[in-house]
Amino acid sequence: MMNREDYVKQIPDYQYMRETVKKDENRLHFHLMPPTGWMNDPNGLCEFQGINHIYFQYTPFLAGWGTKLWGHYTTTDWIHFRECEPFLFPDCDLDRDGVYSGSAFVDGDKIHYFYTGNVKLQDKDYDYILEGREQNTIHLVSEDGVHAGEKQLVMTNADYPADMSKHVRDPKIFAKNGRYYMVQGARDCESKGCVLLFESEDLMTWKYFDRIVPEEKFGYMWECPDLFEVDGQEILIACPQGVPKSGHDYQNVYQCGYFPIEMDFENKKYKLGEFHELDKGFDIYATQTFLDENGRRILIGWMGIPDADYDNDATVEYDWIHALTMPRVLTYQDGKLIQKPLEELKSLRKNKMVTSITSFGEWTTIDCCFELSVKRDDENAAMILGLRDDVTLTYKDHILKLELGKSGHGRKQRTVQLNSLKNMTVYSDTSAIEIFINDGEEVMTTRVYSEKLNQKVRFLQSETDGEIEVYNLGSFVME
Ligand code: FRU
């Protein structure tokens, strides 16, 4: 438990963490990070009266797994950010072991929030799967996104279907045909992952509606579901755990991806399409989307993943860990979800350089922060692009491979199968790289801890020429 008063009282004792964090060269320039301590899932994403709210799973005083609060940043332009006081604290019996993930739903002049109050019982030796855990669905309202109203319990494990384990969490709300629906991630008693759907007429009282289950088991637990429509296509995002690796697919310990889905709410029927990973890199999980006031469907992910066999010790030494991906706009084209960095980030660009692959030679980066786009004349040609001393991108025989050496801290290689490689844009930050491939059809995201920040970018090999556009990138401004 930590209530607001405890938090405020402890701030002076942990002031040294703020000082330590500032000394770290790996602090990111254009990605959101915890001010100190630990960050995981983005939560409660919304735009309300021109202000974008980005809440996140947060343990401010520990760069490791601990009891979660909701940290909070706001922005009106995605370049200038304000750090606000944490929005939610684990301050009651219903959420004493963590204010877990949840979402925001803007309804007129109010924001409704739903999250999971995590409780871990300690009175017996539980397995914490079928017993020993409470996952309470909690609702609260805010009139400004900054001051949280009273917490109201709307569902407990007793309200979820009887064949569910104690793992049911991460509520996300949407409106459809004049009703409200909530998706929650779940693990049933037979360890099959699924999504539960609940319905409500007033956002206060909820009842079970249906569940979305794949025909064949696809992992034992699904976390952080999100159901929305983009360009006329319904999409279900979820994070299945326990899916075995298969060729170039599911190389991470847990997955984060989407199913195209056709929902028939009237007849409680659905048609679930094939699962696609949202990002083929090392560090992606627990994404959340929201519709901004311009009607854009924006996705932000946790640029991290639980239980991986690679680490982020380089930043833990400086009292912080993990970050969020750049915000990405989603569209649906030709049967594929397309991700593109938010337009606003273009204003970080400085010093444009236009050249070609053959005359590129070597280019030394400033602080590693750059955007580099390549448009290839021959989309099938082989190539090796060296991004840093020990980070390469190799394309050959329809496979794009991202390889890291020592700077990967255990991250070795990830691959993605492509029909061809027409173009790609690399966003390189101090300790993170996001690569958008073929106009955003695929993305690869990784953390990276290079010894020196100034690095040489060069084509180690290319069987084709092509156009290159490079910019140095500036930094987010914290106000
Ligand atoms: C996903 C997750 C969620 C949970 C939260 C706890 O990363 O495990 O299912 O609500 O993180 O921090």
Side-chain angles (χ1 to χ4, degrees):
M1 277 239 219
M2 184 195 284
N3 63 26
R4 182 174 175 272
E5 288 69 38
D6 298 334
Y7 166 79
V8 171
K9 251 191 254 154
Q10 287 185 51
I11 293 176
D13 295 343
Y14 292 97
Q15 194 53 35
Y16 74 89
M17 287 177 86
R18 297 231 166 207
E19 298 308 316
T20 317
V21 158
K22 275 192 218 149
K23 293 183 195 137
D24 189 6
E25 287 205 324
N26 279 318
R27 285 295 273 180
L28 294 152
H29 291 196
F30 56 94
H31 288 89
L32 288 176
M33 305 162 280
T36 58
W38 166 289
M39 160 188 267
N40 58 300
D41 316 357
N43 293 151
L45 301 179
C46 61
E47 183 174 6
F48 182 65
Q49 297 170 353
I51 300 175
N52 295 285
H53 294 269
I54 304 122
Y55 309 88
F56 56 92
Q57 291 286 286
Y58 185 32
T59 58
F61 305 134
L62 178 71
W65 190 263
T67 305
K68 300 295 164 55
L69 284 62
W70 273 29
H72 188 193
Y73 287 114
T74 58
T75 181
T76 52
D77 62 3
W78 295 98
I79 301 292
H80 298 82
F81 291 86
R82 179 165 298 162
E83 180 194 339
C84 305
E85 183 174 271
F87 181 64
L88 295 176
F89 295 89
D91 56 5
C92 66
D93 285 341
L94 299 171
D95 61 15
R96 63 167 192 248
D97 297 308
V99 179
Y100 268 17
S101 283
S103 55
F105 183 82
V106 176
D107 200 28
D109 57 358
K110 291 193 174 56
I111 315 178
H112 293 256
Y113 297 84
F114 293 86
Y115 72 92
T116 303
N118 185 52
V119 177
K120 248 183 128 177
L121 304 178
Q122 302 293 353
D123 57 323
K124 271 199 251 163
D125 207 9
Y126 293 111
D127 69 355
Y128 295 111
I129 298 169
L130 296 174
E131 289 184 313
R133 188 185 285 274
E134 289 171 10
Q135 306 239 279
N136 299 306
T137 303
I138 298 170
H139 171 220
L140 60 117
V141 178
S142 173
E143 284 173 14
D144 57 8
V146 176
H147 302 94
E150 206 186 312
K151 295 176 178 178
Q152 275 155 356
L153 179 64
V154 292
M155 282 191 282
T156 69
N157 290 80
D159 299 299
Y160 313 141
D163 63 335
M164 287 299 132
S165 75
K166 295 292 185 251
H167 288 264
V168 174
R169 58 176 169 268
D170 310 333
K172 178 103 200 295
I173 314 302
F174 58 94
K176 186 92 192 173
N177 310 330
R179 300 179 81 81
Y180 302 103
Y181 293 91
M182 173 194 290
V183 281
Q184 297 234 38
R187 169 179 187 153
D188 77 5
C189 289
E190 289 175 351
S191 287
K192 279 199 241 116
C194 63
V195 165
L196 300 180
L197 273 163
F198 300 86
E199 68 175 332
S200 171
E201 274 167 26
D202 56 6
L203 292 168
M204 306 287 170
T205 327
W206 290 86
K207 63 173 200 285
Y208 177 66
F209 178 73
D210 199 9
R211 70 184 71 185
I212 302 171
V213 220
E215 265 169 36
E216 264 178 52
K217 174 173 168 168
F218 192 67
Y220 59 80
M221 166 72 191
W222 288 8
E223 292 188 320
C224 301
D226 195 351
L227 184 54
F228 57 90
E229 197 177 305
V230 60
D231 295 327
Q233 174 65 53
E234 286 166 310
I235 297 286
L236 174 69
I237 288 183
C239 293
Q241 300 187 321
V243 178
K245 184 173 180 297
S246 159
H248 300 286
D249 292 333
Y250 322 137
Q251 297 171 81
N252 287 345
V253 53
Y254 303 138
Q255 310 314 315
C256 177
Y258 72 94
F259 303 89
I261 190 167
E262 268 174 50
M263 297 295 302
D264 175 355
F265 289 94
E266 303 259 290
N267 301 302
K268 286 198 188 178
K269 279 192 191 146
Y270 60 87
K271 217 164 117 202
L272 197 62
E274 231 180 84
F275 184 77
H276 297 270
E277 289 162 77
L278 276 163
D279 190 307
K280 304 289 281 187
F282 296 92
D283 294 282
I284 185 75
Y285 199 67
T287 57
Q288 189 175 93
T289 72
F290 73 107
L291 203 59
D292 80 349
E293 288 175 349
N294 292 319
R296 299 179 293 183
R297 177 62 58 180
I298 300 176
L299 173 139
I300 299 179
W302 172 23
M303 195 160 56
I305 191 161
D307 304 326
D309 59 3
Y310 32 90
D311 70 70
N312 303 283
D313 293 350
T315 70
V316 176
E317 262 183 56
Y318 287 90
D319 283 334
W320 71 284
I321 181 166
H322 298 311
L324 301 182
T325 64
M326 294 191 291
R328 306 169 180 179
V329 174
L330 301 183
T331 51
Y332 195 77
Q333 290 163 26
D334 303 327
K336 273 208 147 189
L337 202 60
I338 305 293
Q339 303 175 65
K340 291 208 172 134
L342 211 62
E343 281 283 311
E344 282 88 329
L345 299 194
K346 286 189 178 156
S347 59
L348 293 172
R349 289 170 168 180
K350 307 188 278 203
N351 316 325
K352 181 173 176 173
M353 174 169 93
V354 179
T355 178
S356 63
I357 296 179
T358 40
S359 48
F360 186 64
E362 282 191 343
W363 179 69
T364 304
T365 65
I366 306 167
D367 294 338
C368 278
C369 293
F370 66 86
E371 174 188 337
L372 178 147
S373 304
V374 190
K375 254 194 228 139
R376 303 183 342 130
D377 293 350
D378 176 356
E379 56 193 51
N380 294 307
M383 87 170 197
I384 307 175
L385 173 61
L387 287 173
R388 301 188 181 194
D389 287 343
D390 64 353
V391 180
T392 53
L393 266 176
T394 305
Y395 183 68
K396 197 171 182 253
D397 299 335
H398 303 286
I399 305 296
L400 182 66
K401 179 164 71 179
L402 170 66
E403 246 176 322
L404 287 84
K406 206 166 139 231
S407 67
H409 274 230
R411 293 163 183 81
K412 294 196 173 75
Q413 68 166 58
R414 287 290 178 267
T415 47
V416 57
Q417 186 150 16
L418 305 172
N419 286 333
S420 69
L421 177 59
K422 297 187 204 87
N423 61 61
M424 61 183 189
T425 305
V426 177
Y427 292 85
S428 173
D429 198 336
T430 51
S431 57
I433 304 176
E434 284 177 76
I435 304 154
F436 291 78
I437 300 149
N438 291 342
D439 301 307
E441 279 184 16
E442 303 283 355
V443 188
M444 293 177 114
T445 295
T446 189
R447 296 304 302 277
V448 54
Y449 301 103
S450 309
E451 269 167 24
K452 282 191 290 68
L453 287 187
N454 286 359
Q455 296 257 343
K456 286 190 180 6
V457 182
R458 66 259 180 243
F459 277 88
L460 298 165
Q461 185 200 319
S462 181
E463 288 174 0
T464 178
D465 202 357
E467 260 173 57
I468 292 186
E469 202 172 286
V470 190
Y471 300 87
N472 286 113
L473 293 178
S475 302
F476 283 173
V477 182
M478 281 293 159
E479 290 182 328

